[in-house]
């Protein structure tokens, strides 16, 4: 039977990884130029690094400890055997090359680590940093994840991203000079004032770039963010689950069939989530997207 979309688990199998592979999320203590005033102040309107993952709440723990504890928990819970260390919090290329090397080199202490994934902003990269990241590709599966969110500059300005779509394209072109680094884009569905056509413009553009990976998630409101203020004032309405399921399925149709879908919804600690509460039923969201794709007789790449 044809796969409905290209899952990360299928990618690991294709790459020849033996056994279960899981991501270990770490907070290396970096900052973000969109929060410290270098690009703008306040950050993206939805920004809450504590709220972006149920795993990123280990302030003060050394990277080694975070990796060791993360691996132990994933071994116990999922019988994981191999790991991708994921530098997730804030902008993980926003430091000197020496500082970055010290942080990334931590993975060398763990023989079961098979990969390195680095999340950052498209305006936080240069040739020197890319050369450093490329140096890990001889031994590891290496990913750089760029937050794009939308190709519409009007939206990027409204959500206070502090960069434009052109910065993302520039980062992709620079990264492609290093052929072994895999590129993943993050996109958000349900951004303020975005119509279905605008969301699918983003899907089409990502599809045409034939990226190695994509992460898609619905915009959700986290406590203490500027988006929460908009939500409380009635100026932002989150999508319903049905709306998101339909749009996520349509988004997949425009992607390149060989782009790995690394994420199709979001994690958020329940005590920090304001809305929509259906986000907490992660498995249900994923199953409904699959059911919807199957019912529509469609799949990733159908409109690519
Ligand atoms: S780029 Fe990421 S860390 Fe920086 S303000 Fe935006 S969401 Fe927050």
């Amino acid at each position: 039977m044809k796969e409905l979309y290209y899952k990360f688990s299928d990618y690991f199998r294709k790459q020849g990884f033996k056994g279960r592979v899981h991501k270990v999320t770490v907070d290396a203590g970096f900052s973000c130029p969109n929060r410290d005033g270098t690009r703008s102040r306040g950050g993206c309107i939805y920004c809450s690094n504590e709220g972006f993952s149920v795993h990123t709440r280990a302030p003060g723990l050394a990277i080694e400890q975070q990796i060791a504890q993360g691996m132990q928990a994933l071994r116990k819970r999922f019988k994981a055997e191999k790991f991708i260390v994921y530098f997730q919090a804030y902008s993980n290329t926003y430091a000197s090359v020496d500082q970055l090397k010290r942080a990334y080199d931590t993975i060398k202490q763990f023989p079961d680590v098979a990969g390195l994934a680095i999340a950052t902003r498209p305006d936080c990269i240069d040739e020197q940093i890319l050369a450093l990241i490329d140096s890990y590709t001889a031994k590891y599966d290496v990913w750089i994840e760029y937050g794009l969110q939308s190709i519409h500059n009007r939206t990027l300005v409204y959500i206070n991203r502090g960069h434009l779509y052109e910065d993302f394209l520039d980062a992709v072109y620079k990264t492609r000079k290093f052929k072994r680094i895999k590129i993943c884009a993050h996109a958000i569905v349900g951004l303020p004032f975005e119509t279905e056509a605008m969301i699918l413009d983003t899907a089409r553009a990502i599809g045409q770039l034939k990226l190695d990976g994509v992460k898609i998630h619905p915009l959700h409101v986290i406590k203490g963010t500027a988006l929460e203020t908009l939500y409380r004032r009635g100026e932002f309405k989150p999508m319903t689950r049905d709306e998101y399921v339909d749009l996520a399925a349509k988004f997949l149709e425009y992607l390149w069939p060989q782009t790995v879908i690394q994420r199709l919804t979001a994690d958020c600690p329940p005590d920090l989530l304001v809305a929509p509460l259906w986000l907490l039923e992660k498995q249900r969201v994923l199953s409904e997207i699959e059911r919807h794709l199957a019912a529509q007789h469609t799949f990733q790449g159908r409109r690519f």
Side-chain angles (χ1 to χ4, degrees), residues 31-35 42-49 52 89-91 120-121 149 160-161 163:
S31 177
C32 170
N34 204 31
R35 292 173 61 106
C44 307
I45 59 170
Y46 49 79
C47 179
S48 160
N49 277 265
F52 284 161
Y90 301 99
S91 298
T120 192
R121 294 167 53 84
Q149 320 314 356
N160 200 34
R161 275 295 294 174
H163 70 73

